[in-house]
PDB file of all heavy atoms in Angstrom:
ATOM      1  N   PRO A 291     170.597   6.472 226.933  1.00 52.00           N
ATOM      2  CA  PRO A 291     169.843   5.230 227.071  1.00 52.00           C
ATOM      3  C   PRO A 291     168.794   5.315 228.171  1.00 52.00           C
ATOM      4  O   PRO A 291     168.812   6.227 228.989  1.00 52.00           O
ATOM      5  CB  PRO A 291     170.909   4.206 227.435  1.00 52.00           C
ATOM      6  CG  PRO A 291     172.184   4.816 227.044  1.00 52.00           C
ATOM      7  CD  PRO A 291     171.995   6.296 227.162  1.00 52.00           C
ATOM      8  N   LYS A 299     168.956  -8.255 229.288  1.00 77.00           N
ATOM      9  CA  LYS A 299     170.231  -8.831 228.891  1.00 77.00           C
ATOM     10  C   LYS A 299     170.305  -8.861 227.382  1.00 77.00           C
ATOM     11  O   LYS A 299     169.306  -9.050 226.699  1.00 77.00           O
ATOM     12  CB  LYS A 299     170.308 -10.267 229.378  1.00 77.00           C
ATOM     13  CG  LYS A 299     170.540 -10.386 230.825  1.00 77.00           C
ATOM     14  CD  LYS A 299     170.775 -11.831 231.104  1.00 77.00           C
ATOM     15  CE  LYS A 299     171.200 -12.022 232.502  1.00 77.00           C
ATOM     16  NZ  LYS A 299     171.716 -13.358 232.722  1.00 77.00           N
ATOM     17  N   PRO A 326     171.293  -0.699 245.957  1.00 31.00           N
ATOM     18  CA  PRO A 326     172.553   0.012 246.034  1.00 31.00           C
ATOM     19  C   PRO A 326     172.633   0.847 247.308  1.00 31.00           C
ATOM     20  O   PRO A 326     171.707   1.579 247.641  1.00 31.00           O
ATOM     21  CB  PRO A 326     172.519   0.918 244.804  1.00 31.00           C
ATOM     22  CG  PRO A 326     171.571   0.245 243.876  1.00 31.00           C
ATOM     23  CD  PRO A 326     170.547  -0.394 244.769  1.00 31.00           C
ATOM     24  N   LEU A 355     193.281 -20.566 248.490  1.00 25.00           N
ATOM     25  CA  LEU A 355     192.590 -21.841 248.452  1.00 25.00           C
ATOM     26  C   LEU A 355     191.917 -22.043 247.105  1.00 25.00           C
ATOM     27  O   LEU A 355     191.950 -23.112 246.531  1.00 25.00           O
ATOM     28  CB  LEU A 355     191.522 -21.887 249.557  1.00 25.00           C
ATOM     29  CG  LEU A 355     192.044 -22.244 250.940  1.00 25.00           C
ATOM     30  CD1 LEU A 355     190.990 -21.970 251.979  1.00 25.00           C
ATOM     31  CD2 LEU A 355     192.477 -23.692 250.979  1.00 25.00           C
ATOM     32  N   ASN A 368     185.543 -37.439 241.721  1.00 64.00           N
ATOM     33  CA  ASN A 368     186.337 -37.755 242.903  1.00 64.00           C
ATOM     34  C   ASN A 368     185.403 -37.992 244.074  1.00 64.00           C
ATOM     35  O   ASN A 368     184.638 -37.113 244.462  1.00 64.00           O
ATOM     36  CB  ASN A 368     187.291 -36.593 243.205  1.00 64.00           C
ATOM     37  CG  ASN A 368     188.249 -36.946 244.314  1.00 64.00           C
ATOM     38  OD1 ASN A 368     187.856 -37.516 245.316  1.00 64.00           O
ATOM     39  ND2 ASN A 368     189.510 -36.605 244.111  1.00 64.00           N
ATOM     40  N   ILE A 396     164.388   7.475 231.179  1.00 19.00           N
ATOM     41  CA  ILE A 396     163.149   7.089 230.508  1.00 19.00           C
ATOM     42  C   ILE A 396     163.015   5.581 230.540  1.00 19.00           C
ATOM     43  O   ILE A 396     163.977   4.856 230.348  1.00 19.00           O
ATOM     44  CB  ILE A 396     163.162   7.563 229.050  1.00 19.00           C
ATOM     45  CG1 ILE A 396     163.456   9.058 229.033  1.00 19.00           C
ATOM     46  CG2 ILE A 396     161.844   7.269 228.368  1.00 19.00           C
ATOM     47  CD1 ILE A 396     163.756   9.596 227.663  1.00 19.00           C
ATOM     48  N   TYR A 447     181.763 -38.210 231.925  1.00 91.00           N
ATOM     49  CA  TYR A 447     180.690 -38.366 232.903  1.00 91.00           C
ATOM     50  C   TYR A 447     179.429 -38.845 232.209  1.00 91.00           C
ATOM     51  O   TYR A 447     179.337 -38.859 230.987  1.00 91.00           O
ATOM     52  CB  TYR A 447     180.409 -37.014 233.587  1.00 91.00           C
ATOM     53  CG  TYR A 447     181.649 -36.320 234.092  1.00 91.00           C
ATOM     54  CD1 TYR A 447     182.115 -35.152 233.488  1.00 91.00           C
ATOM     55  CD2 TYR A 447     182.353 -36.841 235.167  1.00 91.00           C
ATOM     56  CE1 TYR A 447     183.254 -34.522 233.943  1.00 91.00           C
ATOM     57  CE2 TYR A 447     183.499 -36.217 235.633  1.00 91.00           C
ATOM     58  CZ  TYR A 447     183.948 -35.051 235.018  1.00 91.00           C
ATOM     59  OH  TYR A 447     185.077 -34.431 235.474  1.00 91.00           O
ATOM     60  N   LEU A 449     174.900 -38.692 232.947  1.00 94.00           N
ATOM     61  CA  LEU A 449     173.863 -38.036 233.739  1.00 94.00           C
ATOM     62  C   LEU A 449     173.760 -38.643 235.126  1.00 94.00           C
ATOM     63  O   LEU A 449     173.438 -37.971 236.101  1.00 94.00           O
ATOM     64  CB  LEU A 449     172.514 -38.192 233.037  1.00 94.00           C
ATOM     65  CG  LEU A 449     172.000 -37.041 232.171  1.00 94.00           C
ATOM     66  CD1 LEU A 449     170.593 -37.354 231.720  1.00 94.00           C
ATOM     67  CD2 LEU A 449     172.051 -35.717 232.924  1.00 94.00           C
ATOM     68  N   HIS A 467     172.118 -25.811 234.240  1.00 97.00           N
ATOM     69  CA  HIS A 467     171.561 -26.290 235.509  1.00 97.00           C
ATOM     70  C   HIS A 467     172.613 -26.279 236.614  1.00 97.00           C
ATOM     71  O   HIS A 467     173.792 -26.560 236.364  1.00 97.00           O
ATOM     72  CB  HIS A 467     171.098 -27.753 235.381  1.00 97.00           C
ATOM     73  CG  HIS A 467     169.876 -27.948 234.567  1.00 97.00           C
ATOM     74  ND1 HIS A 467     168.604 -27.749 235.051  1.00 97.00           N
ATOM     75  CD2 HIS A 467     169.729 -28.340 233.275  1.00 97.00           C
ATOM     76  CE1 HIS A 467     167.725 -28.017 234.098  1.00 97.00           C
ATOM     77  NE2 HIS A 467     168.374 -28.373 233.009  1.00 97.00           N
ATOM     78  N   LEU A 468     172.156 -26.029 237.806  1.00 97.00           N
ATOM     79  CA  LEU A 468     172.950 -26.336 238.986  1.00 97.00           C
ATOM     80  C   LEU A 468     172.793 -27.834 239.216  1.00 97.00           C
ATOM     81  O   LEU A 468     171.672 -28.358 239.194  1.00 97.00           O
ATOM     82  CB  LEU A 468     172.413 -25.563 240.197  1.00 97.00           C
ATOM     83  CG  LEU A 468     173.041 -25.885 241.543  1.00 97.00           C
ATOM     84  CD1 LEU A 468     174.498 -25.470 241.573  1.00 97.00           C
ATOM     85  CD2 LEU A 468     172.280 -25.179 242.664  1.00 97.00           C
ATOM     86  N   GLN A 493     174.824 -23.960 214.270  1.00 93.00           N
ATOM     87  CA  GLN A 493     175.855 -23.678 215.273  1.00 93.00           C
ATOM     88  C   GLN A 493     176.704 -24.900 215.623  1.00 93.00           C
ATOM     89  O   GLN A 493     177.341 -24.940 216.676  1.00 93.00           O
ATOM     90  CB  GLN A 493     175.202 -23.128 216.552  1.00 93.00           C
ATOM     91  CG  GLN A 493     174.489 -21.818 216.350  1.00 93.00           C
ATOM     92  CD  GLN A 493     175.400 -20.755 215.768  1.00 93.00           C
ATOM     93  OE1 GLN A 493     176.498 -20.530 216.255  1.00 93.00           O
ATOM     94  NE2 GLN A 493     174.966 -20.125 214.687  1.00 93.00           N
ATOM     95  N   ARG A 523     169.454 -36.759 222.503  1.00 94.00           N
ATOM     96  CA  ARG A 523     168.884 -35.442 222.207  1.00 94.00           C
ATOM     97  C   ARG A 523     169.789 -34.261 222.549  1.00 94.00           C
ATOM     98  O   ARG A 523     169.690 -33.209 221.941  1.00 94.00           O
ATOM     99  CB  ARG A 523     167.591 -35.260 223.015  1.00 94.00           C
ATOM    100  CG  ARG A 523     166.516 -36.277 222.730  1.00 94.00           C
ATOM    101  CD  ARG A 523     165.451 -35.652 221.819  1.00 94.00           C
ATOM    102  NE  ARG A 523     164.468 -36.649 221.441  1.00 94.00           N
ATOM    103  CZ  ARG A 523     163.367 -36.886 222.118  1.00 94.00           C
ATOM    104  NH1 ARG A 523     163.115 -36.186 223.200  1.00 94.00           N
ATOM    105  NH2 ARG A 523     162.515 -37.792 221.712  1.00 94.00           N
ATOM    106  N   PHE A 531     180.543 -24.471 239.097  1.00 97.00           N
ATOM    107  CA  PHE A 531     179.424 -23.578 239.413  1.00 97.00           C
ATOM    108  C   PHE A 531     180.011 -22.298 239.996  1.00 97.00           C
ATOM    109  O   PHE A 531     180.720 -22.327 241.009  1.00 97.00           O
ATOM    110  CB  PHE A 531     178.488 -24.268 240.414  1.00 97.00           C
ATOM    111  CG  PHE A 531     177.467 -23.351 241.027  1.00 97.00           C
ATOM    112  CD1 PHE A 531     176.753 -22.432 240.251  1.00 97.00           C
ATOM    113  CD2 PHE A 531     177.198 -23.408 242.398  1.00 97.00           C
ATOM    114  CE1 PHE A 531     175.807 -21.588 240.815  1.00 97.00           C
ATOM    115  CE2 PHE A 531     176.247 -22.572 242.973  1.00 97.00           C
ATOM    116  CZ  PHE A 531     175.554 -21.660 242.185  1.00 97.00           C
ATOM    117  N   GLY A 534     178.472 -16.450 242.363  1.00 97.00           N
ATOM    118  CA  GLY A 534     178.163 -15.038 242.621  1.00 97.00           C
ATOM    119  C   GLY A 534     177.261 -14.332 241.628  1.00 97.00           C
ATOM    120  O   GLY A 534     176.995 -13.139 241.792  1.00 97.00           O
ATOM    121  N   HIS A 567     194.736 -14.608 224.038  1.00 97.00           N
ATOM    122  CA  HIS A 567     195.428 -14.194 222.812  1.00 97.00           C
ATOM    123  C   HIS A 567     196.793 -14.862 222.701  1.00 97.00           C
ATOM    124  O   HIS A 567     197.266 -15.138 221.597  1.00 97.00           O
ATOM    125  CB  HIS A 567     195.561 -12.664 222.773  1.00 97.00           C
ATOM    126  CG  HIS A 567     194.240 -11.969 222.600  1.00 97.00           C
ATOM    127  ND1 HIS A 567     194.104 -10.600 222.546  1.00 97.00           N
ATOM    128  CD2 HIS A 567     192.985 -12.471 222.449  1.00 97.00           C
ATOM    129  CE1 HIS A 567     192.821 -10.282 222.391  1.00 97.00           C
ATOM    130  NE2 HIS A 567     192.128 -11.406 222.336  1.00 97.00           N
ATOM    131  N   ASN A 580     178.417 -12.143 230.283  1.00 95.00           N
ATOM    132  CA  ASN A 580     179.272 -13.334 230.232  1.00 95.00           C
ATOM    133  C   ASN A 580     180.362 -13.322 231.287  1.00 95.00           C
ATOM    134  O   ASN A 580     181.267 -14.138 231.253  1.00 95.00           O
ATOM    135  CB  ASN A 580     179.899 -13.466 228.833  1.00 95.00           C
ATOM    136  CG  ASN A 580     178.874 -13.908 227.800  1.00 95.00           C
ATOM    137  OD1 ASN A 580     177.833 -14.456 228.157  1.00 95.00           O
ATOM    138  ND2 ASN A 580     179.157 -13.659 226.537  1.00 95.00           N
ATOM    139  N   LEU A 614     180.251  -4.991 219.063  1.00 94.00           N
ATOM    140  CA  LEU A 614     180.970  -5.357 217.833  1.00 94.00           C
ATOM    141  C   LEU A 614     181.929  -4.270 217.382  1.00 94.00           C
ATOM    142  O   LEU A 614     181.582  -3.087 217.348  1.00 94.00           O
ATOM    143  CB  LEU A 614     179.975  -5.627 216.703  1.00 94.00           C
ATOM    144  CG  LEU A 614     179.136  -6.894 216.787  1.00 94.00           C
ATOM    145  CD1 LEU A 614     178.347  -7.078 215.505  1.00 94.00           C
ATOM    146  CD2 LEU A 614     180.011  -8.102 217.058  1.00 94.00           C
ATOM    147  N   PRO A 616     184.066  -2.209 214.544  1.00 94.00           N
ATOM    148  CA  PRO A 616     183.669  -1.786 213.197  1.00 94.00           C
ATOM    149  C   PRO A 616     184.150  -2.728 212.105  1.00 94.00           C
ATOM    150  O   PRO A 616     183.448  -2.925 211.103  1.00 94.00           O
ATOM    151  CB  PRO A 616     184.286  -0.389 213.052  1.00 94.00           C
ATOM    152  CG  PRO A 616     185.240  -0.224 214.174  1.00 94.00           C
ATOM    153  CD  PRO A 616     184.837  -1.160 215.249  1.00 94.00           C
ATOM    154  N   TRP A 631     188.745  -3.825 221.307  1.00 98.00           N
ATOM    155  CA  TRP A 631     187.616  -2.909 221.102  1.00 98.00           C
ATOM    156  C   TRP A 631     186.527  -3.207 222.133  1.00 98.00           C
ATOM    157  O   TRP A 631     186.022  -2.314 222.820  1.00 98.00           O
ATOM    158  CB  TRP A 631     187.071  -3.068 219.674  1.00 98.00           C
ATOM    159  CG  TRP A 631     185.787  -2.330 219.413  1.00 98.00           C
ATOM    160  CD1 TRP A 631     184.518  -2.719 219.780  1.00 98.00           C
ATOM    161  CD2 TRP A 631     185.642  -1.072 218.737  1.00 98.00           C
ATOM    162  NE1 TRP A 631     183.598  -1.789 219.365  1.00 98.00           N
ATOM    163  CE2 TRP A 631     184.257  -0.762 218.726  1.00 98.00           C
ATOM    164  CE3 TRP A 631     186.529  -0.187 218.131  1.00 98.00           C
ATOM    165  CZ2 TRP A 631     183.752   0.393 218.132  1.00 98.00           C
ATOM    166  CZ3 TRP A 631     186.023   0.971 217.536  1.00 98.00           C
ATOM    167  CH2 TRP A 631     184.650   1.248 217.554  1.00 98.00           C
ATOM    168  N   GLY A 651     167.331   1.735 219.220  1.00 71.00           N
ATOM    169  CA  GLY A 651     166.693   1.143 218.047  1.00 71.00           C
ATOM    170  C   GLY A 651     167.147  -0.270 217.798  1.00 71.00           C
ATOM    171  O   GLY A 651     167.483  -1.012 218.711  1.00 71.00           O
ATOM    172  N   LYS A 655     170.766   0.133 213.693  1.00 93.00           N
ATOM    173  CA  LYS A 655     171.069   1.494 214.142  1.00 93.00           C
ATOM    174  C   LYS A 655     172.374   1.495 214.943  1.00 93.00           C
ATOM    175  O   LYS A 655     173.210   2.392 214.811  1.00 93.00           O
ATOM    176  CB  LYS A 655     169.897   1.990 215.010  1.00 93.00           C
ATOM    177  CG  LYS A 655     170.003   3.431 215.422  1.00 93.00           C
ATOM    178  CD  LYS A 655     169.732   4.368 214.248  1.00 93.00           C
ATOM    179  CE  LYS A 655     170.089   5.792 214.644  1.00 93.00           C
ATOM    180  NZ  LYS A 655     170.364   6.633 213.489  1.00 93.00           N
ATOM    181  N   ASP A 734     174.363 -22.610 246.837  1.00 96.00           N
ATOM    182  CA  ASP A 734     173.567 -21.387 246.996  1.00 96.00           C
ATOM    183  C   ASP A 734     173.474 -20.671 245.653  1.00 96.00           C
ATOM    184  O   ASP A 734     174.445 -20.086 245.176  1.00 96.00           O
ATOM    185  CB  ASP A 734     174.232 -20.485 248.047  1.00 96.00           C
ATOM    186  CG  ASP A 734     173.468 -19.186 248.284  1.00 96.00           C
ATOM    187  OD1 ASP A 734     172.505 -18.912 247.528  1.00 96.00           O
ATOM    188  OD2 ASP A 734     173.835 -18.456 249.218  1.00 96.00           O
TER     189      ASP A 734
END
Side-chain angles (χ1 to χ4, degrees):
K299 286 188 172 193
L355 278 168
N368 187 316
I396 306 169
Y447 311 110
L449 262 187
H467 288 279
L468 174 66
Q493 297 304 310
R523 300 258 175 91
F531 168 44
H567 292 180
N580 287 340
L614 289 187
W631 171 281
K655 186 73 190 157
D734 180 352

